[in-house]
Amino acid sequence: ADALPYCPPSTAPDPLETEVAQARKLVLRALDAKIAIQDDATALGAIRLALKLAGNILEHPDEGKYTRIKNSSAAFQRCLAKCPGGLELVMAMGFRTAVHEFEEFWAVEVSPLALSILAAAREGLARYESLVVGRAERAQRARLEKVTGSSEQRDRVLADIEADKAERRERAALMRRDVDVASPPPRGGAANGEA
C-alpha cells in the first residue's frame, strides 16, 4: 500500500507574530496603495514623519512625550492627516486617538506587541522612503537631461543659423565679385580717353 509521506505536526502560529504580520500588511497597503502614489514631496513628508514617530517610540519607549502626537500639530496635519492614506498608516502602526487634558492626540500604548509592530512598520517605511527618493532622483535627472538637451538643441540651432548667415554672406560676396568681373567697364569717362 502507498504510504503517505511523513509530515511533522504543525505548531500553531504565534499570536504575536500573526498580529505583527497583519499590521505590516496594513502598513504596506497604506504605503503602496495611497501614500506612494502621491507626488514625491507629499509621499516623503508622510513617510519621514511616520519614520520619526516610530523611531522615537522605539528609541524611547518609556518616555510619554514620544508615544503621542497632537492631532492639531501642523506637521501631523500637513504630512499625515491631509495625505491620502496617512491616517490609515498611523492606525496600522498602532496609534489610536486619545484625549489628554482636553486635547486630541494620536497615541501608542507601549507594549511588546506595539513595539514589534512599530519595528516592522519602520522597516517598511524605510524601504518605501528609499523607493520614493529614488523615484524623485530619477525624475530630477530626467528634468535636468531635458533642460540640458533643450539647451544643447538650442545651441545647435543657433550654430546652424550662424553657419547659414556666414554662408549667405559668402554667397553674396561671391555674387558681387562675379558681377564686378562680368560687368563691362563704364562707357565714356577717363577710361576711354574722353575728357
Side-chain angles (χ1 to χ4, degrees), residues 102-141:
F102 302 105
E103 194 157 12
E104 187 176 12
F105 286 86
W106 285 89
V108 170
E109 190 138 341
V110 177
S111 68
L113 174 62
L115 294 175
S116 296
I117 288 172
L118 286 168
R122 184 165 61 174
E123 288 175 20
L125 287 162
R127 189 169 66 241
Y128 270 84
E129 180 186 31
S130 66
L131 290 173
V132 174
V133 165
R135 181 177 72 193
E137 288 172 351
R138 285 189 303 277
Q140 179 65 24
R141 276 194 305 274

